[in-house]
Amino acid sequence: MGWDVTKSYAVSNQTRYEVPKGKFGTVQAYPLYNLYEGWVYEGVSGKIPTYKRAWAYKPIGVCFNQWLS
């Protein structure tokens, strides 16, 4: 995949949301990912093709939803 798929990755981001007086504000945050796709290989050298596909998601940031009630 070009990066360690067994390692933990942390993403950090922040937002500012000013809520008018007398209102209630909600912020929802969720991670954004890049999807990587590749072939699976095995063997000691990792060069024997299995003809199986693999997918891995790598976190790249945070998306925020904000609303008033």
Side-chain angles (χ1 to χ4, degrees), residues 2 6 10 13-14 24 28 30 36 41 45-46 50-51 54 65 69:
T6 63
N13 210 335
Q14 61 184 1
F24 182 79
Q28 177 187 43
Y30 56 94
Y36 294 85
Y41 293 84
S45 63
T50 64
Y51 302 102
N65 288 329
S69 48

Side-chain angles (χ1 to χ4, degrees), residues 4-68:
D4 188 346
V5 297
T6 63
K7 183 179 174 184
S8 293
Y9 287 86
V11 293
S12 123
N13 210 335
Q14 61 184 1
T15 187
R16 180 178 170 90
Y17 185 43
E18 293 196 28
V19 178
K21 189 173 184 174
K23 295 282 189 175
F24 182 79
T26 301
V27 176
Q28 177 187 43
Y30 56 94
L32 294 175
Y33 298 98
N34 272 344
L35 173 61
Y36 294 85
E37 184 178 0
W39 293 101
V40 176
Y41 293 84
E42 65 182 2
V44 175
S45 63
K47 295 183 179 180
I48 302 170
T50 64
Y51 302 102
K52 296 178 183 177
R53 306 280 299 168
W55 294 267
Y57 293 90
K58 184 176 182 182
I60 59 167
V62 179
C63 185
F64 295 98
N65 288 329
Q66 304 170 6
W67 62 92
L68 292 173

